[in-house]
Amino acid sequence: MGYHEEYYVRTNRHKELYTMVSKLADSFKSRSEQYDREGSFPYQNIEELKKSGYTRLSVPKELGGEGISLYELVLLQERLAQGDASTALSIGWHLGIVMDTAEKRLWDNKVFERIAHDIVQNGALLNSAVSEAATGSPTRGGRPQTLAVKEGNEWVLNGRKTFTTMAPVLDYFIVVAAVEKNGEIAQFIVPRETKGLEIVETWDTMAMRGTGSHDILLQDVRVPHDALVQVLDQESKKKASGWLLHIPACYMGIALAARNHAVEYANHYKPNSIKGPISDLPNIRQPIGEMELKLMNARTFLYSVAERWDQDVENRYELHAELAAAKHVVTNTAMEIVDKAMRIVGAQSLYHKSPLQRYYRDVRAGLHNPPMDDAVISLLAQRATK
Ligand SMILES: Cc1cc2nc3c(=O)[nH]c(=O)nc-3n(C[C@H](O)[C@H](O)[C@H](O)COP(=O)(O)OP(=O)(O)OC[C@H]3O[C@@H](n4cnc5c(N)ncnc54)[C@H](O)[C@@H]3O)c2cc1C
């Protein structure tokens, strides 16, 4: 384990969890290039996550999980992304949503307990299907075109969702739809096998190719009345969402992997114009030092916000600005680190066999996960001027 990783592994429980996730990440790393090249879904990685118990880590202890803290989520997700970023981002949604739902008691207890049981016993996976072509990012406040109509004791859903990460293996789709009768916007749990739900394989991108973030088509999908689990009103938006730190954790993992690759390369590459490796050269030591500085800077911010969330339980839901700023700083810094890593390695970084070109593509996706940069800046300005 390198000193960057060790730095945030502080307790025996961290050590235990970190050993487990490191094994998984190393196994994923060996297949990452293949999934990326094929644009295929990492089924084997997901199976390994289930078998290891990783997928139930954020279920509360009293329901059979580990009830991990936000700090632990960040620590684990960052390590997992060093192995395979697509897999990490995918499972990050699942772990994060479960953490948030349990913590804020967002759903009816019985429904949550039923789903939690399915996660613990059967390795069930869930994620939200919120984005649509018409709204773009749902964080912008656009109204979903997906419609929920009440018929007797059932809801009938019609619409199309975009970017549904992990669609190939999800057991539950948490679909956000407008309710026809009263105009409310609400979340509905739709089990995978529900008639009328179809996955349309649209995910063919240059980044995060293994996330299987396909479209979901809902045609007269019928679910029971208790499938409506939460109304997304102004009140529900007031509480900050710590779990979203799984996003910057993932992109920091990519940056760490790029940094490790570049330093290793610089320590071993010995062109015959010099005596030792290129890591002896001032023009290479400069970007290496800069990468270290950027990593320390961004990670200190990321972990301090996660720690604050865990410790300041009473005020955690006020941390909108801190959480958003951490995401902005980390994802942008991660892109700079990958860029520096590629400059250190030189043209070898352009070959498809080099993981750096994949990190370069994957890290850019962070810009398009919430909250987006301009929204963060505007939030900070709003707080400063109110
Ligand atoms: C790898 C990956 C995984 C994802 N996984 C999921 C998932 O599991 N579930 C899910 O629901 N979604 C998911 N998403 C979708 C994501 O949350 C966004 O909805 C999606 O990336 C579209 O965001 P956008 O900013 O590109 O699009 P848009 O919102 O269409 O924005 C396009 C451009 O217009 C600008 N713009 C648009 N509207 C406004 C506005 N009102 N004010 C200011 N500027 C505006 C934006 O800044 C941007 O430059 C995922 C996305 C990615 C990349």
Side-chain angles (χ1 to χ4, degrees):
M1 212 193 296
Y3 59 82
H4 280 304
E5 282 83 356
E6 273 168 16
Y7 194 76
Y8 289 103
V9 177
R10 290 184 180 156
T11 63
N12 284 339
R13 177 171 143 118
H14 291 171
K15 257 187 215 149
E16 236 172 73
L17 290 168
Y18 206 80
T19 306
M20 184 242 280
V21 76
S22 295
K23 262 192 211 149
L24 291 163
D26 291 343
S27 157
F28 297 177
K29 197 168 189 169
S30 64
R31 296 187 285 271
S32 212
E33 188 272 333
Q34 185 200 337
Y35 290 132
D36 177 64
R37 185 168 25 85
E38 296 172 352
S40 54
F41 188 78
Y43 290 100
Q44 194 178 339
N45 295 354
I46 299 291
E47 269 317 302
E48 287 183 15
L49 286 170
K50 285 186 188 183
K51 268 196 203 129
S52 68
Y54 194 87
T55 52
R56 60 177 147 85
L57 287 179
S58 61
V59 172
K61 275 200 163 148
E62 60 275 20
L63 295 179
E66 281 298 324
I68 55 167
S69 66
L70 185 58
Y71 183 100
E72 289 166 341
L73 179 75
V74 166
L75 181 72
L76 298 175
Q77 284 295 116
E78 187 190 58
R79 181 67 185 92
L80 203 63
Q82 289 182 53
D84 186 71
S86 283
T87 306
L89 188 71
S90 299
I91 214 63
W93 296 123
H94 163 85
L95 289 179
I97 291 168
V98 172
M99 174 183 273
D100 192 51
T101 309
E103 198 177 270
K104 294 181 185 157
R105 300 184 172 273
L106 297 173
W107 303 348
D108 176 73
N109 275 348
K110 274 198 188 129
V111 176
F112 184 67
E113 280 171 21
R114 177 164 50 81
I115 306 262
H117 183 265
D118 204 6
I119 293 170
V120 171
Q121 294 302 319
N122 311 315
L125 296 174
L126 54 81
N127 185 21
S128 7
V130 194
S131 301
E132 293 185 4
T135 60
S137 169
T139 58
R140 301 290 184 185
R143 192 172 171 73
Q145 304 292 293
T146 301
L147 200 63
V149 178
K150 192 85 188 265
E151 275 187 24
N153 217 18
E154 288 181 329
W155 290 102
V156 184
L157 304 178
N158 279 286
R160 184 172 181 139
K161 294 291 177 183
T162 50
F163 295 102
T164 311
T165 294
M166 231 177 8
V169 290
L170 287 179
D171 297 281
Y172 298 102
F173 296 80
I174 305 168
V175 174
V176 171
V179 178
E180 187 201 42
K181 207 170 158 193
N182 56 15
E184 284 176 340
I185 294 172
Q187 281 183 342
F188 296 82
I189 297 193
V190 181
R192 179 180 197 85
E193 62 279 5
T194 311
K195 202 171 154 228
L197 183 144
E198 190 191 326
I199 295 163
V200 187
E201 296 198 356
T202 44
W203 190 246
D204 180 15
T205 50
M206 61 156 263
M208 293 300 206
R209 287 169 57 73
T211 58
S213 304
H214 299 302
D215 284 14
I216 301 300
L217 191 59
L218 301 127
Q219 289 177 303
D220 292 329
V221 164
R222 286 177 179 273
V223 284
H225 75 281
D226 68 351
L228 190 164
V229 280
Q230 197 198 354
V231 173
L232 304 174
D233 50 16
Q234 284 311 317
E235 200 54 34
S236 68
K237 288 181 195 151
K238 277 191 186 155
K239 288 185 178 174
S241 293
W243 69 279
L244 283 174
L245 284 191
H246 86 89
I247 297 169
C250 174
Y251 295 101
M252 203 28 39
I254 298 175
L256 275 162
R259 173 265 181 208
N260 291 344
H261 183 88
V263 171
E264 171 84 7
Y265 187 89
N267 278 335
H268 289 94
Y269 178 47
K270 297 177 182 168
N272 65 10
S273 56
I274 50 173
K275 278 203 180 111
I278 59 167
S279 59
D280 289 344
L281 298 169
N283 64 312
I284 297 296
R285 298 182 78 75
Q286 177 75 24
I288 289 178
E290 286 169 0
M291 280 197 306
E292 299 301 279
L293 187 66
K294 284 179 186 296
L295 268 174
M296 288 168 74
N297 202 349
R299 293 182 87 213
T300 303
F301 195 174
L302 177 63
Y303 281 91
S304 77
V305 176
E307 213 159 30
R308 171 111 187 240
W309 173 275
D310 289 336
Q311 286 168 5
D312 193 3
V313 177
E314 258 180 41
N315 300 307
R316 60 165 56 155
Y317 296 130
E318 308 298 320
L319 294 175
H320 296 273
E322 288 76 6
L323 290 160
K327 192 270 176 175
H328 185 298
V329 168
V330 170
T331 45
N332 283 284
T333 306
M335 280 197 291
E336 290 168 16
I337 291 168
V338 175
D339 179 72
K340 283 195 188 298
M342 291 184 85
R343 288 169 193 260
I344 290 165
V345 169
Q348 289 300 321
S349 68
L350 302 176
Y351 280 87
H352 274 130
K353 67 174 194 244
S354 167
L356 284 174
Q357 52 77 29
R358 182 174 70 254
Y359 302 149
Y360 181 72
R361 290 180 283 111
D362 281 349
V363 80
R364 272 205 76 86
L367 288 176
H368 312 300
N369 291 142
M372 283 55 175
D373 283 1
D374 65 294
V376 175
I377 298 300
S378 132
L379 175 70
L380 297 179
Q382 192 190 351
R383 185 173 74 159
T385 54
K386 95 172 156 194

